[in-house]
Each structure stands twice: as structure tokens, then as C-alpha cells.
């Protein structure tokens, strides 16, 4: 009883302290690279040794978690819907996924080697203060996609509930039309949010078993759906005989556009993959993504094509969405299958939100407000903002131009990914001063009060500005941009390649000598009370004791 009483009293004092701004201040770490007058917290600092638990198998599980979603299922089928054949859809999917593995591996290696998150890595290439620009772009993207993915999970929850209580679909609507959502949909959304929320509070280094669980259940669901549909259709349908509805140059540019869309769909991960690879034990697992990503996405794309083809035979129409497919299943057996599919895609959407949106956005908030926000607080802010304040059901039901705008944010993300990769591999040759990444006036301020690397700014403009007309047309299709649409059709290839080349060229012609070092620096040497201490930036007290090296020195040495 005393233990419970003490916990309740501690909780009461904690709640009472939150009534003032000072009560929200996080504990300042004793071992950190941050400026004396600055602030850092454990989630922004170098990843502690006990948190570096990820292996190559974890990366496989991570991509199974991130990639196995309802959107990935429908991706290749959607390409067929615009007029291409299944072969061309697979070509676009495979080439698009191979393309995105380039920034995934290049930028993932930085996180695995330096063990710092994306917002901190960005300071090397953009400059200490200018790095906030890519962080904010990534944060806004994550908020919108988290809202969209959460509401998509709600549709999966609808299948779970109606499989148990079929009358759930008959619940009368008591909400006004201006709400943009029905009573039944609101219940599904609330239930899914309540199920998802606890998972979003788990620290990233503890998620590897969740990734494995999601991989098993979603793959089983996908295979089961394909087998069940082929049995109902007595085969794989006739989509394999479908001819393209476009030809000539229109077909060629449609292929380029579709491939770029496949790449752009994962542009966010190509940018901030360091948020996850920072937890790796060894760097080599990063490079397995070259095989994992195309294989997983292609397999799920093929499943989607087969399921869509069978739906035409069974239901008389192509059904691209696996949840829309499950909505056709009635009767005891059909509802049992719909329940399993609904649960599987609920898990899939939770995993995708975790790996692609919430953790990344939380890292962004942590880097912008390290005094008040850590990853857990960031996750709470992000999920309540995206799930409720942004009213995701209105985002889904609003003009298609808004969703086009979200996809078009790849216009910014491709150049950002290129800058990160070029700076780490070509300009700095992988030699980074890790302590300086945490200090406002150190070498990565690039010698100016604005903390900006002008070379990165120029390269970013070259990669972004020519694509802005296409971005405008994506938001408002009535805008005529002429030949600019062709450049926009390959926005990821252009944005990444042009920015990479320009940034490398500017740094070759106008190098910033202060930021170029011969070997990476991972530690600081400090002198405290006549004792030399080696600070490796690990914020956990146990790690500090384990890795601080002490040696007596004389006089004023060092």
C-alpha cells in the first residue's frame, strides 16, 4: 500500500508542477555535446549504447512494417488504372523502389555511423540554423500523412467492428453534414485512435518485435486474401490481357511520371532515415535495403494486382483497395475473413504511422524545442494534432488537389535528401565532427551569424525552383504550365540529381575549409578539477560512467 500511495503522491506532484511553464522543462543531461548555455535532451543526443539494438533483421522488419500498408497494396494497381499494363506497372514499381534505395542507403549510413537523428545530421550540410528548414518541411509532411494514415486505419477498424456486429453499419447518423463525417465513421475513428495511441508512446529502440509481429500478420493476410480471391474467381482474372490505353510519347511520359510517383511516395524516408538507423549496432545492415525494399514492394504490388484482377471476375468491377475488397465479404465465413483482414490492416497502418510519421515528426519537434519536448511528448502532440485538430476526414474528402499537394512535397524532399547524401559522402568524405553538430557557434555555423551554408541554399534553389510550376499545377489543375509538366513528371530524378551535382560543384569551387576534417571526431576532451575526461556525448548516466576516461594531468595542460 505504501508503494501505491507513494506513486500516487508522485503523480499528484508531477501534475501540479505542470501548471507552470517551468514544470514542463526536461531534465538537462550531464553528458552532452550541447553548448553550456544551450539545451539538449536524451532523445536529441547521441544514441546511448544500450539503445543501439537494431540489426539487419530489424531493418527487414522495419521495412515490412513501413511498406506493408493498404497504400502499397494498391500502388501498382493504381498505375494500371491510369492506362498502363500490369507489366509496365511492375517496371515502374521496381525502378521507382530501386531509385529510392539510393538516398535510403546513403543517408541511412550517416545515422548508423554517427548515431544521431536526421535533424542533427542536417546541420552538417545546411548549417546549424538553416537546418531547421528541412526539419520543418519534414515535420509538416509527417503531420499530414499521419492524419491521412490514421483515418485510413479507421476504415480498417470499420471492417473489424462490422464483422462482429453487422448492425454497426446501420447506426443512424446524428452529426450535421458540415462535420464531414458520420456517427459510425466517428466511432471507428475513435476506436482506432484509442488502439493506436499506446503503441505510439513506445520508444523506437523497443519497436523491433512490433515490426516482426506486423510483418507476420500482414504477410499472412496478403497471401490469404490472394488465395481466397483466386478461389472465388477460379483463377487470376483477365487483367493480364489488358492492353494500354495510351501510346507514343504520352505513354512514355506516363511511365516516367508513374515511376517518379513510386519514388516520391517514399521521399520522406529517403530524407529522414537516420532517425531509425541511429539505433543500429553496425552500419552494414543499412545496405541490405537495396534488396529488401524493391523485393517487399514488388511482392505486395503483385498481390494487389492479382486481388484487383480477381475482383473484376467476382464483383464485376476492379477493386484496388483491400479494405473495399473486404467490405464485399458477408456471411459467417466472409465476416470472419473481413475481421482478420481488418485487424491486419489496422496493425499495418499503426506500423506505418510509427515508422514513417510519428517518430520522425517527434524527432523534428525534439530538435526544435529540446528544452520542453522529447520523443514521447512529441508523439502525444503529433498524434492528437493529426488525428483530431487537423480533422483528417475532411482532408480525405476535400479536393483532390490537397492530396496532390502532399505528394508534391517530394519536390522539396528530393533536394533535401540529395544535400544530405552529397555532403556526407562527397564533400565531407564521411568525416564529421559530432560534438560540433550540437553547438551553435562551432564549425557548422559556417562562419556566419545566420548559421547557414550558402552552397546548400543555392543547390536547393536549383533543385526546387524549376519544379514549382508543376507544384502549382498539382494544387490547381486549371493552371497551364506547358512543357513544365514534363520536368515535373520526373521531379524526384531531377530534384535529387541536379541538387547533388550543384552542391558537389559549389563545394569543390568554394570549399568551407573549417568544416573539412581528415577524420571523424566522436568525443570531446574536457578538464574538470585537474582531471581529463573524454566525453562521448552519451547522455545516460550509466553510459557516462562506463565510457568517461579519466587521467590526472599536471599544470595547465590542455
Amino acid at each position: 500500500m505504501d508503494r501505491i500511495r507513494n506513486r500516487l503522491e508522485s503523480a499528484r506532484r508531477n501534475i501540479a508542477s505542470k501548471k507552470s511553464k517551468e514544470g514542463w522543462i526536461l531534465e538537462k543531461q550531464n553528458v552532452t555535446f550541447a553548448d553550456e548555455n544551450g539545451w539538449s535532451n536524451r532523445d536529441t543526443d547521441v544514441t546511448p549504447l544500450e539503445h543501439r539494438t537494431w540489426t539487419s533483421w530489424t531493418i527487414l522488419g522495419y521495412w515490412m512494417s513501413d511498406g506493408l500498408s493498404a497504400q502499397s497494396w494498391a500502388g501498382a494497381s493504381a498505375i494500371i488504372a491510369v492506362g498502363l499494363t500490369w507489366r509496365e506497372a511492375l517496371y515502374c514499381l521496381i525502378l521507382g523502389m530501386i531509385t529510392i534505395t539510393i538516398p535510403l542507403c546513403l543517408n541511412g549510413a550517416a545515422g548508423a555511423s554517427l548515431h544521431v537523428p536526421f535533424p542533427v545530421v542536417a546541420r552538417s550540410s545546411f548549417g546549424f540554423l538553416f537546418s531547421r528548414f528541412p526539419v520543418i518541411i519534414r515535420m509538416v509532411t509527417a503531420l499530414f500523412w499521419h492524419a491521412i494514415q490514421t483515418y485510413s486505419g479507421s476504415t480498417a477498424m470499420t471492417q473489424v467492428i462490422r464483422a462482429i456486429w453487422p448492425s454497426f453499419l446501420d447506426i443512424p447518423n446524428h452529426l450535421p453534414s458540415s462535420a464531414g463525417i458520420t456517427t459510425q465513421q466517428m466511432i471507428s475513428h475513435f476506436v482506432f485512435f484509442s488502439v493506436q495511441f499506446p503503441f505510439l508512446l513506445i520508444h523506437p529502440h523497443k519497436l523491433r518485435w512490433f515490426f516482426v509481429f506486423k510483418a507476420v500478420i500482414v504477410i499472412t493476410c496478403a497471401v490469404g486474401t490472394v488465395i481466397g480471391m483466386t478461389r472465388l474467381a477460379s483463377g487470376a482474372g483477365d487483367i493480364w490481357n489488358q492492353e494500354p490505353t495510351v501510346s507514343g510519347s504520352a505513354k512514355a511520359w506516363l511511365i516516367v511520371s508513374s515511376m517518379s510517383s513510386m519514388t516520391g511516395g517514399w521521399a520522406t524516408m529517403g530524407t529522414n532515415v537516420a532517425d531509425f538507423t541511429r539505433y543500429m549496432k553496425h552500419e552494414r545492415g543499412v545496405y541490405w535495403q537495396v534488396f529488401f525494399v524493391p523485393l517487399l514492394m514488388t511482392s505486395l504490388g503483385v498481390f494487389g494486382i492479382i486481388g484487383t484482377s480477381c475482383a473484376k471476375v467476382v464483383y464485376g468491377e476492379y477493386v484496388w483497395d483491400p479494405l473495399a475488397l473486404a467490405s464485399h465479404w458477408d456471411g459467417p465465413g466472409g465476416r470472419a475473413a473481413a475481421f482478420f483482414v481488418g485487424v491486419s490492416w489496422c496493425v499495418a497502418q499503426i506500423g506505418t504511422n510509427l515508422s514513417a510519421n510519428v517518430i520522425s515528426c517527434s524527432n523534428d519537434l525534439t530538435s526544435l524545442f529540446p528544452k520542453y519536448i522529447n520523443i514521447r511528448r512529441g508523439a502525444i502532440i503529433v498524434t492528437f494534432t493529426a488525428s483530431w485538430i487537423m480533422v483528417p476526414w475532411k482532408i480525405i474528402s476535400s479536393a483532390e488537389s490537397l492530396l496532390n499537394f502532399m505528394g508534391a512535397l517530394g519536390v522539396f524532399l528530393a533536394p533535401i535528401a540529395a544535400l544530405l547524401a552529397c555532403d556526407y559522402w562527397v564533400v565531407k568524405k564521411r568525416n564529421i565532427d559530432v560534438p560540433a553538430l550540437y553547438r551553435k557557434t562551432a564549425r557548422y555555423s559556417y562562419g556566419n551569424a545566420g548559421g547557414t551554408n550558402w552552397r546548400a541554399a543555392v543547390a536547393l534553389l536549383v533543385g526546387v525552383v524549376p519544379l514549382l510550376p508543376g507544384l502549382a499545377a498539382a494544387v490547381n489543375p486549371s493552371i497551364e504550365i506547358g512543357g513544365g509538366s514534363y520536368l515535373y513528371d520526373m521531379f524526384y530524378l531531377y530534384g535529387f540529381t541536379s541538387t547533388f551535382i550543384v552542391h558537389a560543384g559549389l563545394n569543390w569551387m568554394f570549399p568551407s575549409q573549417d568544416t573539412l576534417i581528415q577524420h571523424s571526431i566522436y568525443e570531446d576532451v574536457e578538464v574538470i578539477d585537474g582531471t581529463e575526461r573524454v566525453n562521448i556525448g552519451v547522455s545516460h548516466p550509466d553510459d557516462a560512467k562506463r565510457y568517461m576516461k579519466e587521467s590526472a594531468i599536471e599544470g595547465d595542460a590542455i
Side-chain angles (χ1 to χ4, degrees):
M1 289 298 294
D2 289 340
R3 186 175 182 181
I4 296 175
R5 192 178 297 110
N6 290 337
R7 286 194 173 187
L8 290 174
E9 179 61 22
S10 175
R12 187 193 65 78
R13 289 197 301 269
N14 186 40
I15 294 173
S17 70
K18 297 299 187 290
K19 294 180 180 179
S20 65
K21 181 180 178 181
E22 289 71 22
W24 291 94
I25 296 177
L26 294 167
E27 179 184 359
K28 191 170 185 178
Q29 304 299 327
N30 295 322
V31 182
T32 181
F33 290 139
D35 293 316
E36 184 177 348
N37 298 324
W39 205 279
S40 183
N41 64 51
R42 189 180 183 186
D43 291 328
T44 307
D45 290 342
V46 177
T47 306
L49 270 292
E50 78 273 15
H51 287 183
R52 301 177 192 178
T53 58
W54 285 32
T55 64
S56 300
W57 290 108
T58 312
I59 286 291
L60 173 60
Y62 167 82
W63 275 108
M64 285 184 172
S65 176
D66 200 2
L68 298 180
S69 66
Q71 289 74 19
S72 298
W73 171 284
S77 301
I79 296 176
I80 298 174
V82 299
L84 298 178
T85 67
W86 68 271
R87 292 185 183 86
E88 291 153 352
L90 287 183
Y91 297 156
C92 292
L93 180 59
I94 294 170
L95 291 175
M97 291 301 100
I98 290 176
T99 301
I100 199 60
T101 60
I102 296 173
L104 282 173
C105 291
L106 296 180
N107 293 329
S113 175
L114 305 177
H115 298 288
V116 296
F118 152 70
V120 176
V121 174
R123 295 169 183 171
S124 170
S125 51
F126 287 84
F128 192 91
L129 295 179
F130 186 39
S131 65
R132 294 176 183 176
F133 173 76
V135 168
I136 292 172
I137 289 291
R138 172 62 186 112
M139 186 173 67
V140 171
T141 308
L143 275 172
F144 273 94
W145 279 121
H146 181 33
I148 294 168
Q149 296 279 13
T150 296
Y151 192 69
S152 296
S154 301
T155 63
M157 184 59 69
T158 297
Q159 294 304 316
V160 174
I161 299 174
R162 76 94 181 174
I164 302 174
W165 298 285
S167 60
F168 175 70
L169 298 178
D170 301 324
I171 291 179
N173 179 38
H174 299 289
L175 296 176
S177 58
S178 60
I181 189 172
T182 66
T183 301
Q184 176 242 349
Q185 291 169 333
M186 180 64 80
I187 293 172
S188 295
H189 185 69
F190 177 77
V191 173
F192 178 77
F193 171 83
S194 301
V195 171
Q196 174 180 248
F197 184 67
F199 289 97
L200 303 184
L201 300 181
I202 301 174
H203 200 274
H205 78 279
K206 297 179 180 179
L207 287 172
R208 55 178 180 167
W209 291 114
F210 176 81
F211 294 156
V212 172
F213 169 71
K214 175 185 170 178
V216 172
I217 192 171
V218 176
I219 289 176
T220 303
C221 167
V223 173
T225 299
V226 169
I227 292 175
M229 290 303 299
T230 52
R231 288 189 64 184
L232 290 174
S234 301
D238 61 355
I239 202 170
W240 320 102
N241 302 321
Q242 182 174 311
E243 296 294 328
T245 59
V246 291
S247 60
S249 61
K251 179 180 178 181
W253 282 109
L254 186 57
I255 291 174
V256 172
S257 175
S258 298
M259 186 187 75
S260 196
S261 295
M262 291 293 100
T263 305
W266 298 100
T268 50
M269 287 308 307
T271 302
N272 68 276
V273 64
D275 284 336
F276 301 93
T277 57
R278 65 182 294 202
Y279 298 105
M280 296 197 68
K281 292 180 181 179
H282 307 289
E283 183 182 321
R284 60 178 176 269
V286 169
Y287 305 109
W288 281 104
Q289 293 178 109
V290 173
F291 303 100
F292 291 159
V293 176
L295 178 62
L296 287 171
M297 301 305 175
T298 302
S299 299
L300 197 61
V302 170
F303 287 162
I305 292 173
I306 295 174
T308 299
S309 180
C310 293
K312 176 70 171 177
V313 176
V314 179
Y315 307 117
E317 61 179 343
Y318 290 122
V319 181
W320 318 105
D321 186 344
L323 295 169
L325 201 62
S327 68
H328 288 81
W329 301 342
D330 291 311
R335 294 210 317 272
F339 174 83
F340 180 71
V341 168
V343 169
S344 299
W345 291 116
C346 280
V347 173
Q349 295 306 108
I350 292 172
T352 300
N353 264 333
L354 270 170
S355 53
N357 301 318
V358 175
I359 293 174
S360 299
C361 193
S362 299
N363 272 307
D364 297 339
L365 284 171
T366 299
S367 73
L368 294 173
F369 309 102
K371 191 173 183 177
Y372 299 99
I373 298 178
N374 55 21
I375 285 182
R376 173 167 287 194
R377 288 183 183 178
I380 295 172
I381 293 170
V382 168
T383 194
F384 272 93
T385 300
S387 301
W388 299 105
I389 297 175
M390 295 176 66
V391 286
W393 48 90
K394 287 195 174 183
I395 295 176
I396 294 291
S397 62
S398 64
E400 186 180 351
S401 60
L402 179 56
L403 297 181
N404 288 337
F405 170 71
M406 292 307 304
L409 281 177
V411 166
F412 295 96
L413 296 174
I416 290 171
L419 282 167
L420 295 172
C422 180
D423 182 80
Y424 182 68
W425 287 89
V426 178
V427 178
K428 303 298 194 310
K429 295 181 171 59
R430 306 192 69 190
N431 297 320
I432 303 296
D433 183 349
V434 177
L437 292 173
Y438 290 88
R439 292 166 185 163
K440 185 176 180 180
T441 58
R443 68 174 81 240
Y444 297 121
S445 68
Y446 284 87
N448 59 77
T452 299
N453 179 6
W454 65 267
R455 304 158 193 81
V458 172
L460 189 65
L461 289 173
V462 171
V464 170
V465 172
L467 297 172
L468 291 181
L471 176 60
V475 177
N476 184 1
S478 65
I479 296 176
E480 179 59 45
I481 60 174
S485 62
Y486 295 123
L487 185 62
Y488 185 73
D489 283 341
M490 53 179 183
F491 72 89
Y492 199 92
L493 290 175
Y494 169 81
F496 189 91
T497 305
S498 62
T499 304
F500 196 104
I501 293 172
V502 171
H503 189 60
L506 289 175
N507 278 276
W508 178 70
M509 293 185 288
F510 309 102
S512 176
Q513 297 294 348
D514 289 343
T515 65
L516 304 179
I517 56 180
Q518 296 300 312
H519 303 283
S520 290
I521 300 173
Y522 296 99
E523 57 190 28
D524 256 355
V525 179
E526 304 172 344
V527 178
I528 301 176
D529 298 328
T531 300
E532 179 183 289
R533 297 175 182 268
V534 179
N535 175 12
I536 66 168
V538 177
S539 58
H540 193 282
D542 292 339
D543 290 329
K545 293 176 183 178
R546 196 183 315 157
Y547 292 99
M548 295 285 274
K549 302 176 183 178
E550 301 185 1
S551 60
I553 61 172
E554 298 179 359
D556 296 325
I558 310 182

